[in-house]
Amino acid sequence: MIYPVAAGLLLGPRLGFIAILVVAVGTTGFAVLEPHVSEPLFNNEPRVTGLMFGSPITLVCGVAVFNAIVIWGIAATRRLADERDRLLVLRSELISAVRHELRTPITAVAGAISLIEGGMVGSLEAQAKKLIAIAKRNSDLLASLVDDILDIERMEDGNSEFSVEELNLVDVVRESIELNEMYAQSFAVTFHLLDGSAIAKVKANKNRLLQVLANLLSNAAQFSSRNGRVEILVARRNGCNRVSVADDGLGVPEKFRDRVFERFSQSKEARPGVQSGSGLGFSIAKSIVKAHEGMIGFDANKNGGETFYFDLRASEESATAVQD
Ligand SMILES: Nc1ncnc2c1ncn2[C@@H]1O[C@H](COP(=O)(O)OP(=O)(O)O)[C@@H](O)[C@H]1O
Ligand SMILES: [Mg+2]
């Protein structure tokens, strides 16, 4: 009320003004008020001594302005809704194009390259072998990029099946280590599970958890120092079970830290010689952990390197089996 009254006073005594009544939240109505003018005492200027409900003309003007504002608001909201619907249709068309027009041919290309690489059409000369290896690496990368995009889309549409079961997080971590060990070896990095006998029950979707872990472990392998050691720990923390993956690399650069979970984001200081991914891994991992009502994060290690972790709520049974 203060602003309309002040504005009215500034406009001068002849104009009157519209005061919008705001009750609690939202506009519920308005009053048209007009300054009540007293006779000037010392000069020719009229003086404002109070406010009273305005003349019929100002009331009619006020109603007209109010109606115009309401109609403008409705039209703008409708335009926004139409635009949103149009974008949703575009998005679903794009996704279906990615699925059918890209994924299928990429699979065919990767398959053909694998056959050539495997000697199906005869042995290859050294130069040809090199080129085929490059083609293979890149078709794999393209295929995983398309998979990542489709994954993100599924997560955002809420279409990802999320049947959950009770799992011992330590078992899932052990399985993921086995699955990613070979990859780590290619960087001369080793994985070490600390306290593999712990029980850490959570309700989760196993395949999705394996996907999150694969991302954390493969990143740790890529960004560790050569002959590096990656330590994986499952521990209880504030009613949650936390999986942490600590590497001994250079860590996430300071200026990149707040963009790590953004889509397609990769720090420029990527390890030389490492085939970079799509920059979608963490974004997908974050969506999966969020869909499990958990949280994901990272901290710099005291002695260098980075620790990435995620927390999932401990299920009832483990609350009694393991103490905080
Ligand atoms: N353990 C790590 N140490 C340092 N930087 C990391 C680590 N893990 C991830 N990053 C940084 O975060 C970026 C995003 O990771 P991610 O989303 O998994 O994408 P990608 O692995 O495809 O590059 C990486 O490119 C890298 O710059
Ligand atoms: Mg990654």
Side-chain angles (χ1 to χ4, degrees):
M1 282 301 285
I2 292 170
Y3 293 117
V5 169
L9 288 172
L10 275 175
L11 278 174
R14 287 179 195 283
L15 286 176
F17 61 92
I18 300 161
I20 297 170
L21 298 175
V22 179
V23 177
V25 268
T27 307
T28 58
F30 66 91
V32 181
L33 302 177
E34 195 171 63
H36 173 70
V37 179
S38 67
E39 286 306 312
L41 286 178
F42 303 112
N43 52 38
N44 291 334
E45 286 299 312
R47 287 201 311 151
V48 176
T49 56
L51 296 167
M52 53 191 293
F53 281 98
S55 61
I57 293 232
T58 50
L59 180 66
V60 167
C61 289
V63 171
V65 169
F66 181 75
N67 286 346
I69 291 171
V70 170
I71 290 166
W72 175 81
I74 292 171
T77 314
R78 203 168 279 165
R79 265 201 310 277
L80 273 180
D82 288 350
E83 183 63 7
R84 207 196 56 187
D85 288 350
R86 201 179 62 82
L87 286 176
L88 282 177
V89 170
L90 257 179
R91 192 175 106 163
S92 91
E93 281 173 6
L94 178 71
I95 293 309
S96 107
V98 169
R99 188 172 291 120
H100 301 294
E101 315 296 331
L102 268 180
R103 189 63 180 96
T104 316
I106 289 170
T107 311
V109 169
I113 293 174
S114 293
L115 290 178
I116 298 172
E117 197 182 33
M120 178 86 169
V121 287
S123 58
L124 300 172
E125 284 180 16
Q127 189 65 11
K129 251 189 194 152
K130 235 186 195 165
L131 293 174
I132 282 292
I134 294 172
K136 170 108 178 46
R137 236 185 5 253
N138 283 286
S139 69
D140 285 350
L141 191 65
L142 211 52
S144 79
L145 172 63
V146 172
D147 286 345
D148 283 354
I149 291 174
L150 292 176
D151 256 344
I152 286 208
E153 212 45 44
R154 261 209 312 265
M155 308 283 310
E156 291 200 343
D157 278 1
N159 283 344
S160 53
E161 43 54 79
F162 253 111
S163 53
V164 295
E165 55 180 321
E166 186 152 90
L167 300 163
N168 181 2
L169 209 39
V170 183
D171 292 339
V172 187
V173 167
R174 196 179 288 109
E175 187 171 335
S176 179
I177 291 177
E178 278 167 24
L179 289 169
N180 292 283
E181 225 153 29
M182 290 277 280
Y183 182 74
Q185 272 168 26
S186 66
F187 297 98
V189 167
T190 47
F191 292 142
H192 300 268
L193 175 61
L194 308 179
D195 191 11
S197 62
I199 297 171
K201 294 262 174 77
V202 291
K203 289 208 169 70
N205 181 288
K206 187 174 162 195
N207 284 337
R208 292 294 177 188
L209 280 194
L210 284 173
Q211 208 177 345
V212 174
L213 285 162
N215 182 55
L216 261 55
L217 292 178
S218 63
N219 281 347
Q222 285 171 25
F223 292 98
S224 272
S225 60
R226 198 156 175 86
N227 298 316
R229 177 184 166 91
V230 172
E231 292 186 344
I232 302 117
L233 178 69
V234 183
R236 194 64 194 276
R237 206 186 138 91
N238 303 331
C240 288
N241 284 313
R242 169 171 292 193
V243 178
S244 25
V245 177
D247 64 58
D248 61 358
L250 294 175
V252 178
E254 204 49 50
K255 56 180 182 303
F256 183 66
R257 297 187 83 80
D258 52 355
R259 287 192 290 125
V260 163
F261 291 108
E262 279 174 20
R263 289 180 192 180
F264 300 108
S265 70
Q266 293 175 305
S267 121
K268 291 205 176 58
E269 291 87 347
R271 229 183 99 170
V274 172
Q275 170 87 40
S276 61
S278 59
L280 284 170
F282 273 145
S283 160
I284 294 172
K286 188 172 179 180
S287 309
I288 295 175
V289 172
K290 234 172 95 185
H292 282 84
E293 291 165 8
M295 74 92 126
I296 188 165
F298 60 101
D299 282 325
N301 300 334
K302 281 198 189 80
N303 305 323
E306 203 70 41
T307 296
F308 280 86
Y309 58 81
F310 64 90
D311 292 344
L312 296 180
R313 202 179 322 119
S315 56
E316 299 292 319
E317 290 77 354
S318 77
T320 50
V322 186
Q323 295 305 309
D324 279 335

